[in-house]
Amino acid sequence: MGEEKAKPIVSGVWPTVKPFVNGGASGMLATCVIQPIDMIKVRIQLGQGSAGSVTKNMLKNEGIGAFYKGLSAGLLRQATYTTARLGTFRILTNKALEANDGKPLPLYQKALCGLTAGAIGACVGSPADLALIRMQADATLPAAQRRNYTNAFHALYRITADEGVLALWKGAGPTVVRAMALNMGMLASYDQSVEFFKDNLGFGEAATIVGASSVSGFFAAACSLPFDYVKTQIQKMQPDAEGKLPYTGSLDCTMKTLKAGGPFKFYSGFPVYCVRIAPHVMMTWIFLNQIQKLEKKAGL
């Protein structure tokens, strides 16, 4: 009797939480592979040179472990940010499909779902994102200014203790805007590309996933890098000897960057950023597809 009563509860809860669980798991698996490229991207944005010189200097001065510095924060970020954004996106698109009588959604509706999912995911994942940026940037600071966080949870504890709880959302504005741009490009273009490759070109499942992932990876990078650049500058800034911060906010950072380096300054490290984003997107969708296949075999 107890098992019979439990089944309706499980069947009612699991379909709701499944998109969130699957999204978070696929994002975390992808991050384990992409972390070294992400580390190089951050160093380039911090002005340490080209991809080749950054890689060479990291290996020479810090060793192979430097490429995985901040991995715990990266995994925590995926467990919060990606869980929320992919789960929310799938819930929103499913609801929109129901309202559209099961017909394919127009691109603008997918974009709106992506924007909303990105904003929600960024609000949830902002503390972990701040910890990740600081851990990755720490080695670039003078020894006296280094924070020396040991892992993501130590970083969150120290930030809360030293700067207050609200400091966990420092730079949250640029983070949310960047996430909205990234998810609009990534999620909307992926669903649109899946329909195009499958229905118009007749691609098989594997070719559709690879092709759609590549397209969504490019658009995610192109839409989000300017916001990612500003977000990184805001999150890693420290006061000078007089206690003055280099930027008063994201708008001030944007205007000073435009004045100093022009619009292309926002696309510093674009090739590496695109190489980092596209494979992460591809592997996220591939892992998600495999997880869904396993669930179907298991009858979940």
Side-chain angles (χ1 to χ4, degrees):
M1 291 294 290
E3 291 181 1
E4 291 179 2
K5 290 180 180 178
K7 284 182 180 178
I9 298 173
V10 173
S11 64
V13 172
W14 177 240
T16 303
V17 301
K18 183 164 70 169
F20 295 91
V21 174
N22 292 351
S26 60
M28 291 173 76
L29 289 169
T31 291
C32 290
V33 181
I34 294 302
Q35 180 69 15
I37 300 175
D38 190 41
M39 189 69 191
I40 294 170
K41 183 266 297 183
V42 171
R43 294 291 183 92
I44 291 173
Q45 288 185 331
L46 294 176
Q48 291 198 341
S50 65
S53 63
V54 166
T55 303
K56 182 179 178 181
N57 290 334
M58 287 177 67
L59 282 171
K60 181 180 178 181
N61 301 326
E62 303 171 59
I64 193 71
F67 292 95
Y68 284 91
K69 191 173 183 65
L71 178 61
S72 61
L75 292 175
L76 179 61
R77 180 176 182 270
Q78 294 299 319
T80 52
Y81 168 61
T82 299
T83 296
R85 67 179 175 130
L86 291 187
T88 300
F89 180 74
R90 196 50 60 201
I91 293 293
L92 290 174
T93 52
N94 287 343
K95 292 293 184 183
L97 279 169
E98 289 177 13
N100 205 32
D101 298 324
K103 298 176 184 177
L105 299 178
L107 182 60
Y108 82 90
Q109 288 188 8
K110 294 171 185 171
L112 287 174
C113 291
L115 284 168
T116 305
I120 293 171
C123 289
V124 174
S126 188
D129 191 54
L130 175 62
L132 174 62
I133 292 294
R134 287 196 177 185
M135 290 178 72
Q136 289 179 328
D138 205 41
T140 68
L141 299 172
Q145 296 181 18
R146 291 178 188 174
R147 301 179 177 95
N148 298 315
Y149 300 137
T150 56
N151 55 56
F153 295 103
H154 179 236
L156 294 176
Y157 169 78
R158 282 273 307 279
I159 293 169
T160 303
D162 297 343
E163 305 170 47
V165 175
L166 293 180
L168 294 173
W169 279 269
K170 180 182 287 185
T175 299
V176 170
V177 174
R178 179 249 188 196
M180 291 172 70
L182 186 148
N183 284 282
M184 180 185 68
M186 171 185 167
L187 300 176
S189 66
Y190 178 79
D191 273 16
Q192 193 74 16
S193 298
V194 166
E195 292 173 10
F196 177 76
F197 288 134
K198 189 179 291 184
D199 300 337
N200 294 67
L201 301 182
F203 282 13
E205 182 181 359
T208 296
I209 292 172
V210 172
S213 298
S214 301
V215 171
S216 69
F218 174 81
F219 279 104
C223 291
S224 66
L225 182 54
F227 302 100
D228 184 78
Y229 181 89
V230 173
K231 175 184 71 71
T232 301
Q233 297 302 314
I234 293 293
Q235 288 183 327
K236 65 98 176 179
M237 66 180 179
Q238 284 199 336
D240 57 20
E242 299 178 356
K244 185 178 180 181
L245 291 170
Y247 309 113
T248 58
S250 57
L251 181 60
D252 183 49
C253 178
T254 301
M255 297 309 295
K256 286 182 177 177
T257 302
L258 272 173
K259 186 177 180 181
F264 290 108
K265 182 66 175 177
F266 294 105
Y267 282 91
S268 298
F270 180 74
V272 173
Y273 184 75
C274 194
V275 166
R276 178 249 166 185
I277 288 291
H280 192 283
V281 169
M282 292 174 69
M283 282 182 282
T284 297
W285 293 123
I286 290 169
F287 281 129
L288 183 59
N289 183 263
Q290 293 303 310
I291 290 170
Q292 290 171 338
K293 283 184 177 180
L294 289 173
E295 288 174 346
K296 285 183 180 178
K297 287 183 180 179
L300 296 174

